[in-house]
Amino acid sequence: MTGAADFHAQANALFRKNLAIQRRAYKTNCCIILFPLLVCGLLGAAQTAIDNFFKGAAGGADDCKRCAAAAPHLSEAAVGGLSCPMECPLPLAPRWPVALLLPGEKAEDATKDDRTAPPAAPGGAKGEEKSPEEILEALTKPPPCRSPESCAAPARFLVTGGNKSFAESLAGNMFPPHASPKLTADITGLADFALAADAGGPGSRDYDSAFDMGALYFLQSKCTPNSTLSFVVQHGPESTTKDARCTQGSFDWRQSSAAMNNELYRGYHEDKIKERVENNNDIVSAYDLTNSDIKKFNFIVQYNPEKSNMVRVPRLMNLASNAYLQLRGNNSNKMRFGFVKDMPRDGHPMKAPDISFLVGKLVFVWIVMLLFPVILSSLVYEKQLKLRAMMKMHGLGDMAYWIISYCYFLLISLIYMLLLVIFGSIVGVKLFASNSYMLQFIIYFTYMNLQISFAFLMTSYFTTVTTSTVTGYLYVIGSGFIGEYLFKPFVEDTSVSRSLIMLMEFFPPFSLYRIIYELSPPPATGFYSDFSGVQLGDLSDPENGILVLLIIMVLEWASFLFLTLYLDDFGCLQNGIRKLVTGSRPDGSGQPQKPSTQPQEFEASIEIDRTDIMRERETVDRFLQQPDNSYSVIIDNIRKVYPPKDGNAEKVAVKGFSLSIQRGQCFGLLGSNGAGKTSLISMLTGFTKPTSGTAYIDGLNIQTDMSEIYTRIGVCPQFDLLWETLTGREHLMFYGRLKRLNGAALVEAAEQSLKVLQIFEGGVADTHVSQYSGGMKRRLSVAISLIGDPKVVYLDEPSSGLDPASRNALWNAVKSAKKDRAIILTTHSMEEAEALCDRIGISAYGRLRCTGTSKELKAKYGGTFVFTVTAAANEDEAVEQLVRSISPTAKRTYHIAGTQKFEMPKHGVKISDVFQAMEKAKHSLNIVAWGLVDTTLEDVFIKVAKESERCPD
């Protein structure tokens, strides 16, 4: 059965082979599949635990009811109001008087030990453990006062302007005196007091904390000793009394705005030297009254630009405005700054943070890219062991190999991603659960195609599985980190050009990172996200850039596939296969090569008769003029020259080799190392291309029809090219399918080959090749080369490593396989050549030196007997005279320790005469032993090799 198997047959063979390999590697495959599922499972379990925690911590319906029930009982005179959790509605916001911030540095320095250390136990006991309530009370307890006149450090204000007396009068009215040491006020009366909180304490965060946990003060130009201001603070249904203690507030005059500004900056500058960012000098605020006087009032307020200070600026302006009104004599008219109040709000249920976003995008990038090193190492494995070349030589087309491998890996990738998305959605990973499934399918399908094509392209640059695997995992890990710490900041930086981002996305891992980034909540939403996901309709939204990403990935996918096929056809994949450009000469002339019709020239000085070589040349010429189907192999003056390398001169491996091999004939090619045998076989099987000349295999030219030739040949390479995880039967079934065998014919052919080559009995046929001995692998390689009825079979030292019984079985298989096919056998065993070969050729120094049957070669190049005589050492001359009496032209070739060898021409010598002469000589000479043998094939080989050394060209 000749001709290439159709695409369906090749696809069936490859898929079955790949599935068998993956089935044997089920442990590794399970680990690969279960790893992302395990990660998703852990994330889902963590998410469930967090959700339960937040459900327990969040206020329930009862809390909201209690909050709403407290609204009718609020006091109009109290500070504060309703205190509702965020998840409950707040129909009436609390009211908070504005408190200035006292500089935290000096105020804290004065009482640091008292503020941070819990009070000592009675009796001075040390090391006694405190309850949480005691620790909280100690931390929130107001610090002790510095002095009766000023509880905290005096609050300093700077003032300048065009009218010093006006400024001093205005400053004197800022903090009106109160003589009573025990003051009380409601929320309206508090507007007459300048309240302040310690910037270094808990009250600096927000108003609620200031009136709950923080220490409060009220500013006076001169405090009544130990004076306090008491008022009621309401927190929902509960009310407490808060005491504010008096602290002195002073105003320092500066001559100009510049002098005041320099002093403010000097404190900031000194703190910068101490590596502090914020301004922590001891000045609360500064007033520049410019040209103000009693008739006009303009001023500038300078303040410490902290976020918590922004709302307090209006209070600074209000104090100055009321002081000006009092200075004008309007004591009854005041601009009251009573309190600040938020707007009412609806309930905001607290949502648990999404664990997948807490973990980050990097983990999911790694999970999706996990298949890349798997695909890469799988392809490099077949390349490293030359299995791709072996499949190609048995009829697997290049395009079929790539398409079928691509479909296989795409199927695996889609199953992988399908399980990941489904399981991730089940356990609640929002990256998969929140986004449109159709959109995810489009995106992940596109990326998986891109990842496979990129792995195909990278196969060109690796020769070993170890290197490719290590590089693949380093690529996955490294590119993930680069995406997280290099690409992500560029994406989030709005000042970076979008064109630059688009250019960076042409790197496949950056494309994937951008996909994960866009399918995640935007950074502004934080971990507590109401993110509803990206829907299919958002595909055209230019803000997310997903449509541009898809276009980039499709362009990359097409480019990577094109480069892969281009390198496979015309580049160097280092897998032993070189595509021969159709219809072009090796010298680049671009015209089909014409057959050589000139006989090869030989030097007249060569002693070996070349008539057999001339006959081969004539046979080749007749075939070129008139093709003959009886010839399976015609080699037409083929030549191979390797270019210079590493400073060495070019090497001519094959020098004008011409040969014809008929159908049904086994041709044995003999030659010493460096004789050109391997280079010749490499050219005939497509491993290398000829420098000049050509060959015809079953009528097809190796220069133009190599793909078709592969469907008609079988190859047993010198080294066994087998999958370790497949069985012998699976190998034969795979290659049989490539040879268009199927059904019962395939099973019968495989079993027959296994039986003939003795790898069937005892379950050997269904044993993994990794458990085969060297001889069993060799027999399997021969069986592979013979399956499917190939028209030409190349056997490169097929019996190496075989025991005698196995070797005889192999020889019988080869003999029976010669029918209707040509076999080219290379071997170093003369016994094997004589047993199998109908014709034998001996090559040396790149040329075919002689050809013929074993008997013809022996008769032509070995027409002598080898006569060996062993006698006493003192009888050497007598023995020589005896031999010359039998054959006067005998030539002694060996002489040592009484043993001599002679070559005697066969003509003129009768074997009976030799026996009679030796029987007579035994009476007169002390002959120990003697022998007469015909010339062996090994003698012919040695003789031809020696003659070739004298004239290698």
Side-chain angles (χ1 to χ4, degrees), residues 229-264:
L229 173 64
S230 301
F231 53 90
V232 177
V233 179
Q234 192 167 21
H235 296 280
E238 299 179 357
S239 298
T240 59
T241 300
K242 185 73 175 181
D243 292 332
R245 296 174 294 177
C246 184
T247 292
Q248 183 181 1
S250 63
F251 285 85
D252 297 337
W253 170 259
R254 294 296 179 263
Q255 293 296 328
S256 65
S257 298
M260 185 174 67
N261 191 74
N262 289 338
E263 183 172 348
L264 295 175

CSV table of all heavy atoms in Angstrom, one decimal, residues 229-264:
chain,number,residue,atom,x,y,z
A,229,LEU,N,-14.3,72.8,81.5
A,229,LEU,CA,-15.6,73.0,80.8
A,229,LEU,C,-16.3,71.7,80.6
A,229,LEU,O,-15.7,70.8,79.9
A,229,LEU,CB,-15.3,73.7,79.5
A,229,LEU,CG,-16.5,73.9,78.5
A,229,LEU,CD1,-17.5,74.8,79.1
A,229,LEU,CD2,-16.0,74.4,77.2
A,230,SER,N,-17.4,71.6,81.1
A,230,SER,CA,-18.2,70.3,81.1
A,230,SER,C,-19.4,70.5,80.1
A,230,SER,O,-20.0,71.5,80.1
A,230,SER,CB,-18.7,69.9,82.5
A,230,SER,OG,-17.6,69.7,83.3
A,231,PHE,N,-19.7,69.4,79.4
A,231,PHE,CA,-20.8,69.4,78.5
A,231,PHE,C,-21.2,67.9,78.2
A,231,PHE,O,-20.5,67.0,78.5
A,231,PHE,CB,-20.5,70.1,77.2
A,231,PHE,CG,-19.3,69.6,76.5
A,231,PHE,CD1,-19.3,68.5,75.6
A,231,PHE,CD2,-18.0,70.2,76.8
A,231,PHE,CE1,-18.2,68.1,75.0
A,231,PHE,CE2,-16.9,69.7,76.1
A,231,PHE,CZ,-17.0,68.7,75.2
A,232,VAL,N,-22.4,67.8,77.8
A,232,VAL,CA,-23.0,66.4,77.6
A,232,VAL,C,-22.7,66.0,76.2
A,232,VAL,O,-23.0,66.7,75.2
A,232,VAL,CB,-24.5,66.4,77.9
A,232,VAL,CG1,-25.1,65.1,77.6
A,232,VAL,CG2,-24.7,66.8,79.4
A,233,VAL,N,-22.3,64.7,76.0
A,233,VAL,CA,-22.0,64.1,74.7
A,233,VAL,C,-23.0,62.9,74.6
A,233,VAL,O,-23.0,62.0,75.5
A,233,VAL,CB,-20.6,63.7,74.5
A,233,VAL,CG1,-20.4,63.0,73.2
A,233,VAL,CG2,-19.6,64.9,74.7
A,234,GLN,N,-23.7,62.8,73.6
A,234,GLN,CA,-24.7,61.8,73.4
A,234,GLN,C,-24.3,60.8,72.3
A,234,GLN,O,-23.9,61.3,71.2
A,234,GLN,CB,-26.1,62.4,73.1
A,234,GLN,CG,-27.2,61.4,73.1
A,234,GLN,CD,-28.6,62.0,73.1
A,234,GLN,OE1,-28.7,63.2,72.6
A,234,GLN,NE2,-29.6,61.4,73.6
A,235,HIS,N,-24.2,59.5,72.6
A,235,HIS,CA,-23.9,58.5,71.6
A,235,HIS,C,-25.1,57.5,71.5
A,235,HIS,O,-25.2,56.6,72.3
A,235,HIS,CB,-22.7,57.7,72.0
A,235,HIS,CG,-21.4,58.5,72.0
A,235,HIS,ND1,-20.7,58.8,70.9
A,235,HIS,CD2,-20.8,59.1,73.0
A,235,HIS,CE1,-19.7,59.5,71.2
A,235,HIS,NE2,-19.7,59.7,72.5
A,236,GLY,N,-26.1,57.9,70.7
A,236,GLY,CA,-27.3,57.1,70.6
A,236,GLY,C,-28.1,57.3,71.9
A,236,GLY,O,-28.3,58.4,72.4
A,237,PRO,N,-28.6,56.2,72.5
A,237,PRO,CA,-29.3,56.3,73.7
A,237,PRO,C,-28.5,56.6,74.9
A,237,PRO,O,-29.1,56.9,76.0
A,237,PRO,CB,-30.0,55.0,73.8
A,237,PRO,CG,-29.1,54.0,73.1
A,237,PRO,CD,-28.5,54.8,72.0
A,238,GLU,N,-27.2,56.6,74.9
A,238,GLU,CA,-26.3,56.8,76.0
A,238,GLU,C,-25.8,58.2,76.0
A,238,GLU,O,-25.4,58.7,74.9
A,238,GLU,CB,-25.2,55.8,76.0
A,238,GLU,CG,-25.7,54.3,76.1
A,238,GLU,CD,-24.5,53.3,76.0
A,238,GLU,OE1,-23.4,53.8,75.9
A,238,GLU,OE2,-24.8,52.1,76.2
A,239,SER,N,-25.6,58.8,77.2
A,239,SER,CA,-25.1,60.1,77.3
A,239,SER,C,-24.0,60.1,78.3
A,239,SER,O,-24.1,59.4,79.4
A,239,SER,CB,-26.2,61.1,77.7
A,239,SER,OG,-27.2,61.2,76.8
A,240,THR,N,-22.9,60.8,78.1
A,240,THR,CA,-21.8,61.0,79.1
A,240,THR,C,-21.4,62.5,79.2
A,240,THR,O,-21.8,63.3,78.3
A,240,THR,CB,-20.6,60.2,78.6
A,240,THR,OG1,-20.2,60.7,77.3
A,240,THR,CG2,-20.9,58.7,78.5
A,241,THR,N,-20.7,62.8,80.2
A,241,THR,CA,-20.3,64.2,80.4
A,241,THR,C,-18.8,64.2,80.1
A,241,THR,O,-18.0,63.4,80.6
A,241,THR,CB,-20.5,64.6,81.9
A,241,THR,OG1,-21.9,64.5,82.2
A,241,THR,CG2,-20.0,66.0,82.1
A,242,LYS,N,-18.4,65.1,79.2
A,242,LYS,CA,-17.1,65.3,78.8
A,242,LYS,C,-16.5,66.6,79.4
A,242,LYS,O,-17.2,67.6,79.4
A,242,LYS,CB,-17.0,65.4,77.2
A,242,LYS,CG,-15.6,65.5,76.6
A,242,LYS,CD,-15.0,64.1,76.7
A,242,LYS,CE,-13.6,64.2,76.0
A,242,LYS,NZ,-12.9,62.9,76.0
A,243,ASP,N,-15.3,66.5,79.9
A,243,ASP,CA,-14.6,67.7,80.5
A,243,ASP,C,-13.5,68.1,79.6
A,243,ASP,O,-12.7,67.3,79.2
A,243,ASP,CB,-14.0,67.3,81.9
A,243,ASP,CG,-15.1,67.0,82.9
A,243,ASP,OD1,-16.2,67.6,82.7
A,243,ASP,OD2,-14.9,66.3,83.8
A,244,ALA,N,-13.5,69.4,79.3
A,244,ALA,CA,-12.4,70.0,78.5
A,244,ALA,C,-11.6,70.9,79.5
A,244,ALA,O,-12.2,71.6,80.3
A,244,ALA,CB,-12.9,70.9,77.4
A,245,ARG,N,-10.3,70.8,79.5
A,245,ARG,CA,-9.5,71.5,80.5
A,245,ARG,C,-8.8,72.8,79.8
A,245,ARG,O,-8.6,72.7,78.6
A,245,ARG,CB,-8.4,70.6,81.0
A,245,ARG,CG,-9.0,69.5,81.8
A,245,ARG,CD,-8.0,68.4,82.2
A,245,ARG,NE,-7.4,67.7,81.1
A,245,ARG,CZ,-6.5,66.8,81.2
A,245,ARG,NH1,-6.0,66.5,82.4
A,245,ARG,NH2,-6.0,66.2,80.1
A,246,CYS,N,-8.6,73.8,80.6
A,246,CYS,CA,-8.1,75.0,80.0
A,246,CYS,C,-6.6,75.0,79.7
A,246,CYS,O,-5.8,74.4,80.4
A,246,CYS,CB,-8.3,76.1,81.1
A,246,CYS,SG,-7.9,77.8,80.5
A,247,THR,N,-6.3,75.5,78.5
A,247,THR,CA,-5.0,75.6,78.1
A,247,THR,C,-4.8,77.1,77.5
A,247,THR,O,-5.6,77.6,76.9
A,247,THR,CB,-4.7,74.6,76.9
A,247,THR,OG1,-4.7,73.3,77.5
A,247,THR,CG2,-3.3,74.9,76.3
A,248,GLN,N,-3.6,77.6,77.9
A,248,GLN,CA,-3.3,79.0,77.5
A,248,GLN,C,-3.1,79.1,76.0
A,248,GLN,O,-2.4,78.3,75.4
A,248,GLN,CB,-2.1,79.5,78.2
A,248,GLN,CG,-1.8,81.0,77.9
A,248,GLN,CD,-0.5,81.4,78.7
A,248,GLN,OE1,0.1,80.7,79.4
A,248,GLN,NE2,-0.2,82.7,78.5
A,249,GLY,N,-3.7,80.1,75.4
A,249,GLY,CA,-3.4,80.4,74.0
A,249,GLY,C,-2.7,81.8,73.9
A,249,GLY,O,-3.3,82.8,74.4
A,250,SER,N,-1.6,81.9,73.2
A,250,SER,CA,-0.8,83.1,73.1
A,250,SER,C,-0.6,83.5,71.7
A,250,SER,O,-0.5,82.7,70.8
A,250,SER,CB,0.5,83.0,73.9
A,250,SER,OG,1.3,82.0,73.2
A,251,PHE,N,-0.5,84.8,71.5
A,251,PHE,CA,-0.2,85.4,70.1
A,251,PHE,C,1.1,86.1,70.2
A,251,PHE,O,1.4,86.9,71.0
A,251,PHE,CB,-1.3,86.4,69.7
A,251,PHE,CG,-2.6,85.7,69.3
A,251,PHE,CD1,-3.5,85.3,70.3
A,251,PHE,CD2,-2.8,85.4,68.0
A,251,PHE,CE1,-4.7,84.7,69.9
A,251,PHE,CE2,-4.0,84.8,67.6
A,251,PHE,CZ,-4.9,84.4,68.5
A,252,ASP,N,2.0,85.8,69.2
A,252,ASP,CA,3.3,86.4,69.1
A,252,ASP,C,3.3,87.3,67.9
A,252,ASP,O,3.0,86.8,66.8
A,252,ASP,CB,4.4,85.3,69.0
A,252,ASP,CG,4.5,84.4,70.3
A,252,ASP,OD1,4.0,84.9,71.3
A,252,ASP,OD2,5.0,83.3,70.2
A,253,TRP,N,3.8,88.5,68.1
A,253,TRP,CA,3.8,89.5,67.0
A,253,TRP,C,5.1,89.3,66.1
A,253,TRP,O,6.2,89.0,66.7
A,253,TRP,CB,3.8,90.9,67.5
A,253,TRP,CG,4.1,91.9,66.5
A,253,TRP,CD1,5.3,92.6,66.3
A,253,TRP,CD2,3.2,92.4,65.5
A,253,TRP,NE1,5.2,93.5,65.3
A,253,TRP,CE2,3.9,93.4,64.7
A,253,TRP,CE3,1.9,92.2,65.2
A,253,TRP,CZ2,3.3,94.1,63.7
A,253,TRP,CZ3,1.3,92.9,64.2
A,253,TRP,CH2,2.0,93.8,63.4
A,254,ARG,N,4.9,89.4,64.8
A,254,ARG,CA,6.1,89.4,63.9
A,254,ARG,C,6.0,90.6,63.0
A,254,ARG,O,4.9,91.1,62.7
A,254,ARG,CB,6.1,88.1,63.0
A,254,ARG,CG,6.3,86.8,63.8
A,254,ARG,CD,7.7,86.8,64.5
A,254,ARG,NE,7.9,85.6,65.3
A,254,ARG,CZ,7.7,85.5,66.6
A,254,ARG,NH1,7.3,86.6,67.2
A,254,ARG,NH2,7.9,84.4,67.2
A,255,GLN,N,7.2,91.1,62.7
A,255,GLN,CA,7.2,92.4,62.1
A,255,GLN,C,6.7,92.4,60.6
A,255,GLN,O,6.2,93.5,60.2
A,255,GLN,CB,8.7,92.9,62.0
A,255,GLN,CG,9.2,93.3,63.4
A,255,GLN,CD,8.5,94.4,64.1
A,255,GLN,OE1,8.0,95.3,63.4
A,255,GLN,NE2,8.4,94.3,65.4
A,256,SER,N,6.7,91.3,60.0
A,256,SER,CA,6.3,91.3,58.6
A,256,SER,C,5.8,89.9,58.2
A,256,SER,O,6.1,88.9,58.9
A,256,SER,CB,7.5,91.7,57.6
A,256,SER,OG,8.5,90.7,57.7
A,257,SER,N,5.2,89.8,57.1
A,257,SER,CA,4.7,88.5,56.6
A,257,SER,C,5.9,87.6,56.2
A,257,SER,O,5.8,86.4,56.5
A,257,SER,CB,3.8,88.8,55.3
A,257,SER,OG,2.7,89.5,55.6
A,258,ALA,N,6.9,88.2,55.7
A,258,ALA,CA,8.1,87.4,55.4
A,258,ALA,C,8.7,86.8,56.6
A,258,ALA,O,9.1,85.6,56.6
A,258,ALA,CB,9.1,88.3,54.6
A,259,ALA,N,8.9,87.6,57.7
A,259,ALA,CA,9.4,87.1,58.9
A,259,ALA,C,8.6,85.9,59.5
A,259,ALA,O,9.1,84.9,59.9
A,259,ALA,CB,9.6,88.2,59.9
A,260,MET,N,7.3,86.1,59.4
A,260,MET,CA,6.4,85.1,59.9
A,260,MET,C,6.5,83.8,59.1
A,260,MET,O,6.6,82.7,59.6
A,260,MET,CB,5.0,85.6,60.0
A,260,MET,CG,4.0,84.6,60.6
A,260,MET,SD,2.3,85.3,60.7
A,260,MET,CE,1.9,85.5,59.0
A,261,ASN,N,6.5,84.0,57.8
A,261,ASN,CA,6.6,82.9,56.8
A,261,ASN,C,7.9,82.1,57.0
A,261,ASN,O,8.0,80.9,57.0
A,261,ASN,CB,6.5,83.4,55.4
A,261,ASN,CG,6.3,82.2,54.4
A,261,ASN,OD1,5.3,81.6,54.4
A,261,ASN,ND2,7.4,81.9,53.7
A,262,ASN,N,9.0,82.9,57.2
A,262,ASN,CA,10.4,82.2,57.5
A,262,ASN,C,10.4,81.4,58.7
A,262,ASN,O,10.9,80.3,58.8
A,262,ASN,CB,11.4,83.3,57.5
A,262,ASN,CG,11.7,83.9,56.2
A,262,ASN,OD1,11.4,83.3,55.1
A,262,ASN,ND2,12.3,85.1,56.1
A,263,GLU,N,9.7,81.9,59.8
A,263,GLU,CA,9.7,81.1,61.0
A,263,GLU,C,8.8,79.8,60.8
A,263,GLU,O,9.2,78.8,61.3
A,263,GLU,CB,9.1,82.0,62.1
A,263,GLU,CG,9.1,81.3,63.5
A,263,GLU,CD,8.7,82.2,64.6
A,263,GLU,OE1,8.6,83.4,64.4
A,263,GLU,OE2,8.4,81.7,65.7
A,264,LEU,N,7.7,80.0,60.1
A,264,LEU,CA,7.0,78.7,59.8
A,264,LEU,C,7.7,77.7,59.0
A,264,LEU,O,7.7,76.5,59.3
A,264,LEU,CB,5.7,79.1,59.1
A,264,LEU,CG,4.6,79.9,59.9
A,264,LEU,CD1,3.5,80.3,59.0
A,264,LEU,CD2,4.1,79.2,61.1
